[in-house]
Amino acid sequence: MASLVAENFRFLSLFFKSKDVMIFNGLVALGTVGSEELFSVVAFNCPCSPARNYIYGLAAIGVPALALFLIGVIWNNHTWNLVAECHKRGTKNFSAAATFLLFGSIMGRAAVAPVTWSVISLLRGEAYICALSEFVKPSSLDKFPAEYGAEVLARFPCKDVPANLTKFRDEVTRRLRYESQLFGWLLIGIVAVLVFFTKCLKHCCSPLSYRQEAYWAQYRSNEDKLFRHTAEVHSRILAAKNVKQFFGFVALDKEEKELVQEFPVEDVQPSPQWNAITGVYIYRENKGFPLYSRLHKWAKGVEENGPTPECHEMLFLTS
């Protein structure tokens, strides 16, 4: 049982270890807060009509949260690495547990913005009050006039009520705002507890030392930056070469001419090489030496034939 738990949670170490991830999540949360405030001020307008309030109130909370979630999934590199992995190699190189936890990582990253949106919406309370005002039982209000029903209660969020119902409107608004904010604080507490226990499991189940995790994070960051910059330069030089072949000359500025002269590019890399360095990466050790990425693995010439006695595989997914 302990080994299964360790297998299922090892990958979480790097997810929470990366400072870039935490900073990114913080920026996403702040951006979501600002967007929710703008939406509440500019766009939110309760219809104050029976049967419409409920749909509109839930849509104001749920639809933006869904859109933010889908955007988060699209922006996550894990999503497209997983698509490439399934397309090129299937899931033969990692277990069902690793696949499930990879989906969990994608969902967790994508949930930052929608959870923030939902929390802020609940703490503000306008959407919740709009959605549920018509469902307040008149019998729960002391001395509420019997001639009024759900139609009048639905108008409470808009303050468009008879003068003799003002105190009831204030009571209903206060009660629903209390419930909304309570749910918001509970959601914050649940998320905080989940993050806390996940980080505890990470520290207990990580197969790597703190310093090696830090080194791996630095390596991934540096490799990604160097790869992107080198790919940009390589593609520019190759494009210049092809344009020159077509026109007989190519218009380059001084810096680009220096790049073309300094780095001769003959051709592009073949597709098998691109496929080898693309996809989900599972941490491996080859004869005791770590392989920190697919590019590192390709450079060392390790084959894609799965784990062998010389290649110890650990279900520890890179972020």
Coordinates of all heavy atoms in Angstrom, one line a residue, residues 169-258:
R169 N -36.7 42.4 2.6 CA -35.7 42.4 1.5 C -34.3 42.4 2.2 O -33.4 41.7 1.8 CB -35.8 43.5 0.6 CG -34.7 43.6 -0.5 CD -34.9 44.8 -1.4 NE -34.9 46.0 -0.6 CZ -33.7 46.6 -0.2 NH1 -32.6 46.1 -0.4 NH2 -33.8 47.8 0.5
D170 N -34.1 43.3 3.2 CA -32.8 43.4 3.9 C -32.5 42.1 4.6 O -31.3 41.6 4.6 CB -32.8 44.5 4.8 CG -33.0 45.9 4.2 OD1 -32.6 46.0 3.0 OD2 -33.4 46.9 4.8
E171 N -33.5 41.5 5.2 CA -33.3 40.2 5.9 C -32.9 39.1 4.9 O -32.0 38.3 5.2 CB -34.5 39.8 6.7 CG -34.3 38.5 7.5 CD -35.6 38.2 8.3 OE1 -36.5 39.0 8.4 OE2 -35.6 37.0 8.8
V172 N -33.6 39.0 3.8 CA -33.3 38.0 2.8 C -31.9 38.2 2.2 O -31.2 37.2 2.1 CB -34.4 38.0 1.7 CG1 -34.0 37.1 0.5 CG2 -35.7 37.5 2.3
T173 N -31.6 39.4 1.9 CA -30.3 39.7 1.3 C -29.2 39.3 2.3 O -28.2 38.8 2.0 CB -30.2 41.2 1.0 OG1 -31.2 41.5 0.0 CG2 -28.8 41.5 0.4
R174 N -29.4 39.7 3.6 CA -28.4 39.4 4.6 C -28.2 37.9 4.8 O -27.1 37.4 4.9 CB -28.8 40.1 5.9 CG -27.8 39.9 7.1 CD -28.1 40.8 8.2 NE -29.5 40.6 8.7 CZ -30.4 41.5 8.5 NH1 -30.2 42.6 7.9 NH2 -31.7 41.3 9.0
R175 N -29.3 37.2 4.8 CA -29.3 35.7 5.0 C -28.6 35.0 3.8 O -27.7 34.2 4.0 CB -30.7 35.2 5.1 CG -30.8 33.7 5.4 CD -32.2 33.2 5.3 NE -33.0 33.9 6.3 CZ -34.4 33.6 6.4 NH1 -34.9 32.7 5.6 NH2 -35.1 34.3 7.3
L176 N -28.9 35.4 2.6 CA -28.3 34.8 1.4 C -26.8 35.2 1.3 O -26.0 34.4 0.9 CB -29.1 35.2 0.2 CG -30.5 34.6 0.1 CD1 -31.2 35.1 -1.2 CD2 -30.5 33.1 0.1
R177 N -26.5 36.4 1.6 CA -25.1 36.8 1.6 C -24.3 36.0 2.6 O -23.1 35.7 2.3 CB -25.0 38.3 1.8 CG -23.6 38.9 1.5 CD -23.5 40.4 1.8 NE -24.5 41.1 1.0 CZ -24.3 41.5 -0.3 NH1 -23.1 41.2 -0.9 NH2 -25.2 42.2 -0.9
Y178 N -24.9 35.8 3.8 CA -24.2 35.0 4.8 C -23.9 33.6 4.2 O -22.8 33.1 4.3 CB -25.0 34.9 6.0 CG -24.8 33.7 6.8 CD1 -23.7 33.5 7.6 CD2 -25.7 32.6 6.8 CE1 -23.5 32.4 8.4 CE2 -25.5 31.5 7.5 CZ -24.4 31.3 8.3 OH -24.2 30.2 9.1
E179 N -24.9 33.0 3.6 CA -24.7 31.6 3.1 C -23.7 31.6 1.9 O -22.8 30.7 1.9 CB -26.1 31.1 2.5 CG -27.1 30.9 3.6 CD -28.4 30.4 2.9 OE1 -28.5 30.3 1.7 OE2 -29.4 30.2 3.7
S180 N -23.7 32.6 1.1 CA -22.8 32.7 0.0 C -21.4 32.8 0.5 O -20.4 32.1 0.0 CB -23.2 33.9 -0.9 OG -22.2 34.0 -2.0
Q181 N -21.1 33.8 1.4 CA -19.8 34.0 1.9 C -19.3 32.7 2.7 O -18.1 32.4 2.7 CB -19.8 35.2 2.8 CG -19.9 36.5 2.0 CD -19.8 37.7 2.9 OE1 -19.9 37.7 4.1 NE2 -19.8 38.9 2.2
L182 N -20.2 32.1 3.4 CA -19.9 30.8 4.1 C -19.4 29.8 3.2 O -18.3 29.1 3.4 CB -21.1 30.3 4.9 CG -20.9 29.0 5.6 CD1 -19.8 29.1 6.7 CD2 -22.1 28.5 6.3
F183 N -20.1 29.6 2.0 CA -19.6 28.6 1.0 C -18.3 29.1 0.4 O -17.4 28.2 0.1 CB -20.7 28.5 -0.1 CG -21.9 27.8 0.3 CD1 -23.1 28.2 -0.1 CD2 -21.8 26.7 1.1 CE1 -24.3 27.6 0.3 CE2 -23.0 26.0 1.5 CZ -24.2 26.4 1.1
G184 N -18.1 30.4 0.3 CA -16.8 30.9 -0.3 C -15.6 30.6 0.7 O -14.6 30.1 0.2
W185 N -15.8 30.8 2.0 CA -14.8 30.5 2.9 C -14.5 29.0 3.1 O -13.4 28.6 3.2 CB -15.1 31.1 4.3 CG -15.1 32.6 4.4 CD1 -16.1 33.5 4.6 CD2 -13.9 33.5 4.1 NE1 -15.7 34.8 4.6 CE2 -14.4 34.8 4.2 CE3 -12.6 33.2 3.7 CZ2 -13.5 35.9 4.0 CZ3 -11.8 34.3 3.6 CH2 -12.2 35.6 3.7
L186 N -15.6 28.2 3.0 CA -15.4 26.8 3.0 C -14.6 26.3 1.9 O -13.8 25.4 2.0 CB -16.8 26.1 3.1 CG -17.6 26.2 4.4 CD1 -19.0 25.5 4.3 CD2 -16.8 25.5 5.5
L187 N -14.9 26.9 0.7 CA -14.2 26.5 -0.5 C -12.7 26.8 -0.4 O -11.8 26.0 -0.7 CB -14.7 27.2 -1.7 CG -14.1 26.8 -3.1 CD1 -14.2 25.3 -3.4 CD2 -14.8 27.6 -4.2
I188 N -12.4 28.0 0.2 CA -11.0 28.4 0.4 C -10.3 27.4 1.4 O -9.2 26.9 1.2 CB -10.9 29.8 1.0 CG1 -11.3 30.8 0.0 CG2 -9.5 30.1 1.5 CD1 -11.4 32.2 0.5
G189 N -11.1 27.0 2.5 CA -10.5 26.1 3.4 C -10.3 24.7 2.9 O -9.2 24.1 3.1
I190 N -11.2 24.2 2.0 CA -11.0 22.9 1.4 C -9.8 22.9 0.5 O -9.0 22.0 0.5 CB -12.3 22.5 0.6 CG1 -13.4 22.2 1.6 CG2 -12.0 21.3 -0.2 CD1 -14.8 22.1 1.0
V191 N -9.7 23.9 -0.3 CA -8.5 24.0 -1.2 C -7.2 24.1 -0.4 O -6.2 23.4 -0.8 CB -8.7 25.2 -2.2 CG1 -7.4 25.4 -3.0 CG2 -9.9 25.0 -3.1
A192 N -7.2 24.9 0.6 CA -6.0 25.0 1.4 C -5.6 23.7 2.1 O -4.4 23.3 2.1 CB -6.2 26.1 2.5
V193 N -6.6 22.9 2.6 CA -6.3 21.6 3.2 C -5.8 20.7 2.1 O -4.8 19.9 2.4 CB -7.6 21.1 3.9 CG1 -7.4 19.6 4.3 CG2 -7.9 21.9 5.1
L194 N -6.4 20.7 0.9 CA -5.9 19.8 -0.1 C -4.5 20.1 -0.5 O -3.6 19.2 -0.7 CB -6.8 19.9 -1.3 CG -8.2 19.3 -1.2 CD1 -9.0 19.6 -2.4 CD2 -8.1 17.8 -1.0
V195 N -4.1 21.4 -0.6 CA -2.8 21.8 -1.0 C -1.8 21.4 0.1 O -0.7 20.8 -0.2 CB -2.7 23.3 -1.2 CG1 -1.3 23.7 -1.4 CG2 -3.5 23.7 -2.5
F196 N -2.2 21.5 1.4 CA -1.3 21.2 2.5 C -1.0 19.7 2.5 O 0.1 19.3 2.6 CB -2.0 21.6 3.8 CG -1.3 21.1 5.0 CD1 -0.1 21.7 5.5 CD2 -1.8 20.0 5.8 CE1 0.5 21.2 6.6 CE2 -1.2 19.6 6.9 CZ 0.0 20.2 7.3
F197 N -2.1 18.9 2.4 CA -1.8 17.4 2.4 C -1.1 16.9 1.2 O -0.3 16.0 1.3 CB -3.2 16.7 2.5 CG -3.7 16.6 3.9 CD1 -4.8 17.3 4.3 CD2 -3.1 15.9 4.9 CE1 -5.3 17.3 5.6 CE2 -3.6 15.8 6.2 CZ -4.7 16.5 6.5
T198 N -1.3 17.6 0.1 CA -0.6 17.2 -1.1 C 0.9 17.5 -1.0 O 1.8 16.7 -1.4 CB -1.1 17.9 -2.4 OG1 -2.5 17.6 -2.5 CG2 -0.4 17.5 -3.6
K199 N 1.2 18.7 -0.4 CA 2.7 19.0 -0.2 C 3.3 18.1 0.8 O 4.5 17.7 0.7 CB 2.8 20.5 0.3 CG 2.5 21.5 -0.8 CD 2.6 22.9 -0.3 CE 4.1 23.2 0.0 NZ 4.9 23.3 -1.3
C200 N 2.5 17.7 1.9 CA 3.1 16.7 2.8 C 3.4 15.4 2.2 O 4.4 14.8 2.4 CB 2.1 16.5 4.0 SG 1.9 18.0 5.1
L201 N 2.4 14.9 1.3 CA 2.7 13.7 0.6 C 3.8 13.8 -0.3 O 4.6 12.8 -0.5 CB 1.4 13.3 -0.1 CG 0.2 12.8 0.7 CD1 -1.0 12.6 -0.1 CD2 0.6 11.4 1.4
K202 N 4.0 14.9 -0.9 CA 5.1 15.2 -1.8 C 6.4 15.0 -1.1 O 7.3 14.3 -1.6 CB 5.0 16.6 -2.4 CG 6.2 17.0 -3.3 CD 7.3 17.6 -2.5 CE 7.1 19.1 -2.4 NZ 8.4 19.8 -1.9
H203 N 6.6 15.6 0.1 CA 7.8 15.5 0.8 C 8.0 14.1 1.3 O 9.2 13.6 1.4 CB 7.8 16.5 2.0 CG 8.0 17.9 1.6 ND1 9.2 18.4 1.0 CD2 7.1 19.0 1.6 CE1 9.0 19.7 0.8 NE2 7.8 20.0 1.1
C204 N 7.0 13.3 1.6 CA 7.1 12.0 2.1 C 7.5 11.0 1.0 O 8.2 10.0 1.2 CB 5.9 11.5 2.8 SG 5.5 12.4 4.3
C205 N 6.9 11.2 -0.2 CA 7.0 10.2 -1.3 C 8.1 10.6 -2.3 O 8.3 9.7 -3.2 CB 5.7 10.1 -2.0 SG 4.3 9.6 -0.9
S206 N 8.7 11.7 -2.3 CA 9.7 12.1 -3.3 C 10.9 11.2 -3.2 O 11.4 11.0 -2.2 CB 10.1 13.5 -3.1 OG 11.1 13.8 -4.1
P207 N 11.3 10.6 -4.4 CA 12.5 9.7 -4.4 C 13.8 10.5 -4.5 O 14.8 9.9 -4.4 CB 12.3 8.9 -5.6 CG 11.5 9.8 -6.6 CD 10.6 10.6 -5.7
L208 N 13.7 11.8 -4.7 CA 14.9 12.6 -4.9 C 15.1 13.5 -3.6 O 14.1 13.9 -2.9 CB 14.7 13.5 -6.1 CG 14.5 12.8 -7.4 CD1 14.4 13.8 -8.6 CD2 15.5 11.7 -7.7
S209 N 16.3 13.9 -3.5 CA 16.7 14.8 -2.4 C 16.2 16.2 -2.8 O 16.0 16.5 -3.9 CB 18.2 14.8 -2.1 OG 18.9 15.3 -3.2
Y210 N 16.2 17.1 -1.8 CA 15.8 18.5 -2.0 C 16.7 19.1 -3.0 O 16.2 19.8 -3.9 CB 15.8 19.2 -0.7 CG 15.6 20.7 -0.8 CD1 14.3 21.2 -0.9 CD2 16.7 21.6 -0.8 CE1 14.1 22.6 -1.1 CE2 16.4 23.0 -1.0 CZ 15.2 23.5 -1.1 OH 15.0 24.8 -1.2
R211 N 18.0 18.9 -2.9 CA 19.0 19.6 -3.8 C 18.8 19.0 -5.2 O 19.0 19.8 -6.2 CB 20.4 19.4 -3.2 CG 20.6 20.2 -1.9 CD 22.1 20.2 -1.5 NE 22.3 20.9 -0.3 CZ 22.5 22.2 -0.2 NH1 22.4 23.0 -1.4 NH2 22.7 22.8 0.9
Q212 N 18.6 17.7 -5.3 CA 18.5 17.2 -6.7 C 17.2 17.7 -7.3 O 17.2 18.0 -8.5 CB 18.5 15.7 -6.6 CG 18.6 15.0 -8.0 CD 18.7 13.5 -8.0 OE1 18.6 12.9 -6.9 NE2 18.9 12.9 -9.2
E213 N 16.1 17.8 -6.6 CA 14.9 18.4 -7.1 C 15.1 19.8 -7.6 O 14.7 20.2 -8.7 CB 13.8 18.4 -6.1 CG 13.2 17.0 -5.8 CD 12.1 17.1 -4.8 OE1 11.5 18.2 -4.6 OE2 11.8 16.1 -4.2
A214 N 15.9 20.6 -6.8 CA 16.2 22.0 -7.2 C 17.0 22.0 -8.4 O 16.8 22.8 -9.3 CB 16.9 22.7 -6.0
Y215 N 18.0 21.1 -8.5 CA 18.9 21.1 -9.7 C 18.0 20.7 -10.9 O 18.2 21.3 -12.0 CB 20.0 20.0 -9.5 CG 20.9 19.9 -10.7 CD1 22.0 20.8 -10.9 CD2 20.7 18.9 -11.7 CE1 22.8 20.7 -12.0 CE2 21.5 18.8 -12.8 CZ 22.5 19.7 -12.9 OH 23.4 19.6 -14.0
W216 N 17.1 19.7 -10.8 CA 16.3 19.3 -11.9 C 15.4 20.4 -12.4 O 15.3 20.7 -13.6 CB 15.4 18.1 -11.5 CG 14.7 17.4 -12.6 CD1 14.9 17.7 -13.9 CD2 13.7 16.4 -12.5 NE1 14.0 16.9 -14.7 CE2 13.3 16.1 -13.8 CE3 13.1 15.8 -11.4 CZ2 12.3 15.1 -14.1 CZ3 12.2 14.8 -11.7 CH2 11.8 14.5 -13.0
A217 N 14.9 21.2 -11.4 CA 14.0 22.3 -11.8 C 14.9 23.4 -12.6 O 14.4 23.9 -13.6 CB 13.4 22.9 -10.6
Q218 N 16.1 23.6 -12.1 CA 17.0 24.6 -12.8 C 17.3 24.1 -14.2 O 17.3 24.8 -15.1 CB 18.2 24.8 -12.0 CG 18.0 25.6 -10.7 CD 19.2 25.6 -9.8 OE1 20.2 25.0 -10.0 NE2 19.1 26.4 -8.7
Y219 N 17.6 22.8 -14.3 CA 18.0 22.2 -15.5 C 16.8 22.3 -16.5 O 17.0 22.7 -17.7 CB 18.4 20.7 -15.4 CG 18.6 20.0 -16.7 CD1 19.8 20.1 -17.4 CD2 17.5 19.4 -17.4 CE1 20.0 19.5 -18.6 CE2 17.7 18.8 -18.6 CZ 18.9 18.9 -19.2 OH 19.1 18.3 -20.5
R220 N 15.6 22.0 -16.1 CA 14.5 22.1 -17.0 C 14.2 23.5 -17.5 O 14.0 23.7 -18.7 CB 13.2 21.6 -16.3 CG 13.2 20.1 -16.0 CD 11.8 19.6 -15.7 NE 11.0 20.6 -15.0 CZ 11.0 20.8 -13.6 NH1 11.8 20.1 -12.9 NH2 10.2 21.7 -13.1
S221 N 14.4 24.4 -16.6 CA 14.2 25.8 -16.9 C 15.2 26.3 -17.9 O 14.9 26.9 -19.0 CB 14.2 26.7 -15.7 OG 14.1 28.1 -16.0
N222 N 16.5 26.0 -17.7 CA 17.6 26.4 -18.6 C 17.5 25.7 -19.9 O 17.7 26.3 -21.0 CB 18.9 26.1 -17.9 CG 19.2 27.0 -16.8 OD1 18.8 28.2 -16.8 ND2 19.9 26.5 -15.7
E223 N 17.2 24.4 -19.9 CA 17.0 23.6 -21.2 C 15.9 24.2 -22.0 O 16.1 24.4 -23.2 CB 16.7 22.2 -20.9 CG 16.6 21.3 -22.2 CD 16.1 19.9 -21.9 OE1 14.9 19.7 -21.8 OE2 17.0 19.0 -21.8
D224 N 14.8 24.6 -21.4 CA 13.7 25.1 -22.1 C 14.0 26.5 -22.7 O 13.7 26.7 -23.9 CB 12.5 25.2 -21.2 CG 11.2 25.8 -21.9 OD1 10.7 25.0 -22.8 OD2 10.8 26.9 -21.6
K225 N 14.7 27.3 -21.9 CA 15.1 28.7 -22.4 C 16.1 28.5 -23.6 O 15.9 29.2 -24.6 CB 15.6 29.5 -21.3 CG 14.6 29.9 -20.2 CD 15.3 30.7 -19.1 CE 14.3 31.0 -18.0 NZ 15.0 31.7 -16.9
L226 N 17.1 27.7 -23.4 CA 18.1 27.6 -24.4 C 17.5 26.9 -25.7 O 17.9 27.3 -26.8 CB 19.3 26.7 -23.9 CG 20.1 27.4 -22.8 CD1 21.1 26.4 -22.3 CD2 20.9 28.6 -23.5
F227 N 16.6 26.0 -25.5 CA 16.0 25.3 -26.7 C 15.2 26.2 -27.5 O 15.3 26.3 -28.7 CB 15.2 24.1 -26.2 CG 14.7 23.2 -27.3 CD1 15.4 22.1 -27.7 CD2 13.5 23.5 -27.9 CE1 14.9 21.3 -28.8 CE2 13.0 22.7 -29.0 CZ 13.7 21.6 -29.4
R228 N 14.4 27.0 -26.8 CA 13.5 28.0 -27.5 C 14.3 29.0 -28.2 O 14.0 29.4 -29.4 CB 12.5 28.7 -26.5 CG 11.5 27.8 -25.9 CD 10.6 28.5 -24.9 NE 9.6 27.6 -24.3 CZ 8.4 27.4 -24.9 NH1 8.1 28.1 -26.0 NH2 7.5 26.6 -24.3
H229 N 15.4 29.6 -27.5 CA 16.2 30.6 -28.2 C 17.0 30.0 -29.4 O 17.0 30.6 -30.4 CB 17.2 31.2 -27.1 CG 18.0 32.3 -27.7 ND1 17.5 33.5 -28.2 CD2 19.4 32.3 -27.9 CE1 18.5 34.2 -28.6 NE2 19.7 33.5 -28.4
T230 N 17.5 28.8 -29.2 CA 18.3 28.2 -30.2 C 17.4 27.8 -31.4 O 17.7 28.0 -32.6 CB 19.0 26.9 -29.7 OG1 19.8 27.3 -28.6 CG2 19.8 26.3 -30.8
A231 N 16.2 27.4 -31.1 CA 15.2 27.0 -32.2 C 14.8 28.3 -33.0 O 14.7 28.2 -34.2 CB 14.0 26.4 -31.6
E232 N 14.7 29.4 -32.3 CA 14.4 30.7 -33.0 C 15.5 31.1 -33.9 O 15.3 31.4 -35.0 CB 14.1 31.8 -31.9 CG 13.8 33.1 -32.5 CD 13.6 34.2 -31.5 OE1 13.7 33.9 -30.3 OE2 13.4 35.4 -31.9
V233 N 16.7 31.0 -33.4 CA 17.9 31.4 -34.2 C 18.0 30.4 -35.4 O 18.3 30.8 -36.5 CB 19.2 31.4 -33.4 CG1 20.4 31.6 -34.2 CG2 19.1 32.5 -32.3
H234 N 17.9 29.1 -35.1 CA 18.0 28.1 -36.1 C 17.0 28.3 -37.2 O 17.3 28.2 -38.4 CB 17.9 26.7 -35.5 CG 18.1 25.6 -36.5 ND1 17.2 25.2 -37.4 CD2 19.2 24.7 -36.6 CE1 17.7 24.1 -38.1 NE2 18.9 23.9 -37.6
S235 N 15.7 28.5 -36.9 CA 14.7 28.7 -37.9 C 14.9 30.0 -38.7 O 14.6 30.0 -39.9 CB 13.3 28.7 -37.2 OG 13.2 29.8 -36.3
R236 N 15.5 31.0 -38.0 CA 15.7 32.3 -38.7 C 16.8 32.1 -39.8 O 16.7 32.5 -40.9 CB 16.1 33.4 -37.7 CG 16.3 34.7 -38.4 CD 16.7 35.8 -37.3 NE 15.7 35.8 -36.2 CZ 15.9 36.6 -35.1 NH1 17.0 37.3 -35.0 NH2 15.0 36.6 -34.2
I237 N 17.9 31.4 -39.4 CA 19.0 31.1 -40.3 C 18.6 30.2 -41.5 O 18.9 30.5 -42.6 CB 20.2 30.5 -39.5 CG1 20.7 31.5 -38.5 CG2 21.3 30.1 -40.5 CD1 21.8 30.9 -37.6
L238 N 17.8 29.2 -41.2 CA 17.3 28.3 -42.2 C 16.4 29.1 -43.2 O 16.5 28.9 -44.4 CB 16.6 27.1 -41.6 CG 16.1 26.1 -42.6 CD1 17.2 25.4 -43.4 CD2 15.2 25.0 -41.9
A239 N 15.5 29.9 -42.6 CA 14.6 30.7 -43.4 C 15.4 31.7 -44.3 O 15.1 31.8 -45.5 CB 13.7 31.5 -42.6
A240 N 16.5 32.3 -43.8 CA 17.3 33.2 -44.5 C 18.0 32.4 -45.7 O 18.1 32.9 -46.8 CB 18.4 33.8 -43.6
K241 N 18.5 31.2 -45.4 CA 19.1 30.4 -46.5 C 18.1 30.1 -47.6 O 18.5 30.2 -48.8 CB 19.6 29.1 -45.8 CG 20.3 28.2 -46.8 CD 20.7 26.9 -46.1 CE 21.3 25.9 -47.1 NZ 21.7 24.6 -46.5
N242 N 16.9 29.7 -47.2 CA 15.9 29.4 -48.3 C 15.5 30.6 -49.1 O 15.3 30.5 -50.3 CB 14.7 28.7 -47.6 CG 15.1 27.3 -47.0 OD1 16.0 26.7 -47.5 ND2 14.3 26.9 -46.0
V243 N 15.3 31.7 -48.4 CA 14.9 33.0 -49.0 C 16.0 33.4 -50.0 O 15.7 33.8 -51.1 CB 14.6 34.1 -48.0 CG1 14.4 35.4 -48.7 CG2 13.4 33.7 -47.2
K244 N 17.2 33.3 -49.6 CA 18.4 33.6 -50.5 C 18.4 32.8 -51.7 O 18.7 33.2 -52.8 CB 19.7 33.5 -49.7 CG 20.9 34.0 -50.5 CD 22.2 33.9 -49.7 CE 23.4 34.4 -50.5 NZ 24.6 34.3 -49.7
Q245 N 18.1 31.5 -51.5 CA 18.1 30.5 -52.6 C 17.0 30.9 -53.6 O 17.2 30.8 -54.8 CB 18.0 29.1 -52.2 CG 18.1 28.1 -53.3 CD 18.1 26.6 -52.7 OE1 18.1 26.5 -51.5 NE2 18.0 25.7 -53.6
F246 N 15.9 31.4 -53.2 CA 14.8 31.7 -54.0 C 15.1 33.1 -54.8 O 14.9 33.2 -56.0 CB 13.5 31.8 -53.2 CG 12.3 32.1 -54.0 CD1 11.7 31.1 -54.7 CD2 11.8 33.4 -54.1 CE1 10.5 31.3 -55.5 CE2 10.7 33.6 -54.9 CZ 10.0 32.6 -55.6
F247 N 15.5 34.1 -54.0 CA 15.6 35.4 -54.6 C 17.0 35.7 -55.1 O 17.2 36.7 -55.8 CB 15.3 36.5 -53.5 CG 13.8 36.7 -53.3 CD1 13.2 36.2 -52.1 CD2 12.9 37.2 -54.2 CE1 11.9 36.3 -51.9 CE2 11.6 37.3 -54.0 CZ 11.0 36.9 -52.8
G248 N 18.0 35.0 -54.6 CA 19.4 35.3 -54.9 C 20.1 36.1 -53.9 O 21.3 36.3 -53.9
F249 N 19.3 36.7 -53.0 CA 19.9 37.5 -51.9 C 18.8 37.5 -50.8 O 17.7 37.1 -51.0 CB 20.2 38.9 -52.3 CG 19.0 39.8 -52.5 CD1 18.5 40.6 -51.5 CD2 18.2 39.8 -53.7 CE1 17.4 41.4 -51.6 CE2 17.1 40.5 -53.8 CZ 16.7 41.4 -52.8
V250 N 19.2 37.9 -49.6 CA 18.3 38.0 -48.5 C 18.7 39.3 -47.7 O 19.8 39.6 -47.5 CB 18.4 36.8 -47.5 CG1 19.8 36.6 -47.0 CG2 17.4 36.9 -46.4
A251 N 17.7 40.0 -47.3 CA 17.9 41.3 -46.6 C 18.0 41.0 -45.1 O 17.0 40.7 -44.5 CB 16.7 42.2 -46.9
L252 N 19.2 41.1 -44.6 CA 19.4 40.9 -43.2 C 20.0 42.1 -42.5 O 20.8 42.9 -43.2 CB 20.4 39.7 -43.0 CG 19.9 38.3 -43.6 CD1 21.1 37.3 -43.5 CD2 18.7 37.8 -42.9
D253 N 19.7 42.3 -41.3 CA 20.4 43.4 -40.6 C 21.7 42.9 -40.1 O 22.1 41.7 -40.3 CB 19.5 43.9 -39.4 CG 19.1 42.8 -38.4 OD1 19.9 41.9 -38.3 OD2 18.1 43.0 -37.8
K254 N 22.5 43.7 -39.4 CA 23.8 43.4 -39.0 C 23.9 42.2 -38.0 O 24.7 41.3 -38.2 CB 24.5 44.6 -38.3 CG 25.9 44.4 -37.9 CD 26.5 45.6 -37.3 CE 28.0 45.4 -36.8 NZ 28.6 46.6 -36.2
E255 N 23.0 42.2 -37.1 CA 22.9 41.1 -36.1 C 22.6 39.8 -36.8 O 23.2 38.7 -36.5 CB 21.9 41.4 -35.0 CG 21.8 40.3 -33.9 CD 20.8 40.7 -32.9 OE1 20.2 41.8 -32.9 OE2 20.5 39.8 -32.0
E256 N 21.6 39.8 -37.7 CA 21.2 38.6 -38.4 C 22.4 38.1 -39.3 O 22.6 36.9 -39.4 CB 20.0 38.8 -39.2 CG 18.7 39.0 -38.3 CD 17.5 39.5 -39.1 OE1 17.7 40.1 -40.2 OE2 16.4 39.2 -38.7
K257 N 23.1 39.0 -39.9 CA 24.2 38.6 -40.8 C 25.3 37.9 -39.9 O 25.9 36.9 -40.3 CB 24.8 39.8 -41.5 CG 24.0 40.4 -42.6 CD 24.6 41.6 -43.2 CE 23.8 42.1 -44.3 NZ 24.4 43.3 -45.0
E258 N 25.5 38.4 -38.7 CA 26.5 37.8 -37.8 C 26.0 36.4 -37.4 O 26.8 35.4 -37.3 CB 26.7 38.6 -36.6 CG 27.4 40.0 -36.9 CD 27.5 40.9 -35.7 OE1 26.9 40.5 -34.6 OE2 28.2 41.9 -35.8

